[in-house]
Amino acid sequence: MHRHSAQEAQGMGSNGGGAKPPAWEFHATGPRNLSSPGRSAWKNPNYRRIAISCLVQAAYVLEFDRQENRTGETAIAPNWWKPFKYKMVRLLIDPRDGSIYGALLEWDQIAALSDWIMRRPDGAPKAVLALRGTVLKQSTVARDLEDDLRYFAQESLRGSVRFAGALEVLKSAIDTHGSNNVCVAGHSLGAGYAMQVGKTLAKDGVFVECHLFNPPSVSLGLGLRKLQDKVDKVLKRYISGSSSNAVESSHPGQKGETVSEIGEEKLIKEVKRWVPNLYINNSDYICCFYVDRSGVPTVTAEKRGDGHPEARAKVFVIAKGPQKFLKAHGLQQWWMDDSELHLAVNESKLMYKHLKSLCTSA
């Protein structure tokens, strides 16, 4: 879904007639005027977006390094996580073709001390699971497109070995650091995986921070709707059990009603704890259906007029982003310093249709 071409993967332009430099060098294409990851940096939404998008880019570059046989000092992927004081602790490798589709990165306190950062900044995740999207190169295109088609046709990635691998690594990170200190992020197809593993954990009451850059709009809404289906089934079983127990009481109707109301309120509160962050460009036809094309999105109210609480998802829409599709679907726009974003909550018809069902029965 995110299509790095062969030209991009091999080099960018000429170098005085000599060898082409590797594409996606951090100093050439990374963010400008990057501030130090000090105590308050991660509390800044812009810094957080820039940092996390760069960590996702590291997952792409790890695969480029593998394909171009760059290792050790010649590898360029580490340059995408070192400025943010993270280190790569685990690779996610597809056993079907040996490609790298993601990486687990952890806060590197030793590297931070070199810049006199005495402790991990407030808000900085202890661990970030970064997942790349599609790479149209000979050694990766077959498996990448296979999962692309699986996502659009089956509305799920659960049958993919990459889903199983990502979920296992994320669970391991949560066991080590706690869910409040772990973040999962992805771009394009990688955003589909991030959404899928985040949703799977949310069903079990485990909530992790989730950042989805240019997520496919076909399956995201359906995924959230399936989460509601799970909630509905749990709620119905809870109500059924409560009603059975209530028969033994002198006021069965009153007791059953009270318990069911408490159970529903608790479930709604729990579901609303998981708020995925989506980053959208209107000119990207893969993800543009999450925002209305008429007007600039604005923040909407948390409750509708009928009093029902709405499920929430933060949708960041770039105001003056690239217009041509390949760049509009690219990851680079999200670490640009001058990116102007608008925040929308359940603004589009698609978001409203699918997200509202999280907390209200059909």
Side-chain angles (χ1 to χ4, degrees):
M1 291 176 190
H2 178 42
R3 292 168 170 80
H4 281 281
S5 67
Q7 181 180 0
E8 286 176 319
Q10 293 172 355
M12 296 176 62
S14 62
N15 185 15
K20 293 181 179 180
W24 301 113
E25 287 274 16
F26 184 83
H27 67 84
T29 60
R32 301 291 179 265
N33 305 315
L34 184 65
S35 61
S36 173
R39 175 174 295 184
S40 60
W42 278 87
K43 292 183 178 180
N44 184 318
N46 289 329
Y47 181 89
R48 194 175 197 87
R49 165 179 51 82
I50 290 171
I52 293 177
S53 61
C54 285
L55 296 181
V56 173
Q57 179 63 17
Y60 279 107
V61 184
L62 280 165
E63 173 57 20
F64 296 157
D65 282 346
R66 184 192 71 85
Q67 294 185 19
E68 299 297 323
N69 297 316
R70 291 191 293 262
T71 60
E73 294 183 356
T74 63
I76 61 176
N79 296 329
W80 287 90
W81 61 69
K82 285 183 176 180
F84 306 99
K85 309 308 176 188
Y86 279 80
K87 60 183 177 180
M88 193 274 295
V89 297
R90 186 169 178 180
L91 293 175
L92 280 73
I93 300 176
D94 190 327
R96 299 170 298 181
D97 58 10
S99 64
I100 298 170
Y101 65 92
L104 181 67
L105 302 116
E106 292 182 352
W107 174 256
D108 189 350
Q109 187 56 51
I110 295 178
L113 288 173
S114 65
D115 280 353
W116 299 99
I117 301 174
M118 298 296 104
R119 64 182 181 85
R120 180 172 54 91
D122 294 338
K126 288 184 179 179
V128 178
L129 176 60
L131 303 167
R132 69 165 176 85
T134 303
V135 174
L136 296 183
K137 291 276 286 180
Q138 184 175 0
S139 60
T140 53
V141 63
R143 297 308 181 188
D144 283 6
L145 289 181
E146 178 182 331
D147 285 344
D148 283 334
L149 294 174
R150 180 196 303 273
Y151 195 69
F152 284 118
Q154 301 181 12
E155 308 290 358
S156 174
L157 288 166
R158 293 183 66 89
S160 171
V161 296
R162 295 184 183 182
F163 165 77
L167 183 61
E168 186 272 325
V169 171
L170 188 58
K171 285 183 174 180
S172 176
I174 292 171
D175 290 341
T176 301
H177 302 292
S179 60
N180 291 335
N181 297 311
V182 175
C183 167
V184 59
H187 173 251
S188 191
L189 177 62
Y193 283 114
M195 173 66 188
Q196 192 91 51
V197 296
K199 177 173 67 76
T200 300
L201 292 174
K203 289 179 179 179
D204 296 329
V206 180
F207 305 95
V208 295
E209 181 180 347
C210 185
H211 293 265
L212 312 174
F213 299 94
N214 300 87
S217 53
V218 171
S219 293
L220 179 60
L222 182 61
L224 291 174
R225 187 177 65 197
K226 288 182 178 179
L227 176 57
Q228 168 62 19
D229 292 340
K230 175 75 172 181
V231 172
D232 286 342
K233 291 179 181 178
V234 172
L235 181 57
K236 288 178 180 178
R237 288 198 299 267
Y238 187 88
I239 294 175
S240 176
S242 300
S243 298
S244 299
N245 294 333
V247 173
E248 300 176 3
S249 70
S250 59
H251 303 286
Q254 182 178 354
K255 181 178 179 180
E257 181 180 3
T258 301
V259 173
S260 65
E261 288 177 355
I262 294 175
E264 183 177 7
E265 182 179 352
K266 182 178 180 180
L267 282 171
I268 289 173
K269 185 177 181 180
E270 286 295 301
V271 168
K272 284 167 68 64
R273 288 177 56 191
W274 192 54
V275 183
N277 300 273
L278 290 74
Y279 301 86
I280 305 298
N281 184 317
N282 269 334
S283 297
D284 174 11
Y285 61 76
I286 289 180
C287 68
C288 66
F289 297 105
Y290 282 105
V291 290
D292 294 330
R293 302 184 72 87
S294 57
V296 177
T298 56
V299 178
T300 60
E302 185 173 349
K303 289 188 176 182
R304 301 198 316 273
D306 58 10
H308 288 290
E310 285 191 352
R312 294 168 61 87
K314 293 181 180 178
V315 184
F316 298 93
V317 185
I318 193 165
K320 298 179 180 179
Q323 300 299 307
K324 293 184 178 180
F325 167 69
L326 288 180
K327 290 186 176 181
H329 190 63
L331 183 58
Q332 185 174 3
Q333 62 188 312
W334 302 113
W335 66 67
M336 292 293 98
D337 301 328
D338 57 353
S339 295
E340 181 182 348
L341 306 182
H342 296 283
L343 173 62
V345 182
N346 300 351
E347 179 68 13
S348 71
K349 294 179 180 178
L350 181 61
M351 291 293 294
Y352 178 82
K353 176 181 178 181
H354 293 301
L355 288 176
K356 72 174 183 178
S357 65
L358 274 169
C359 295
T360 58
S361 58

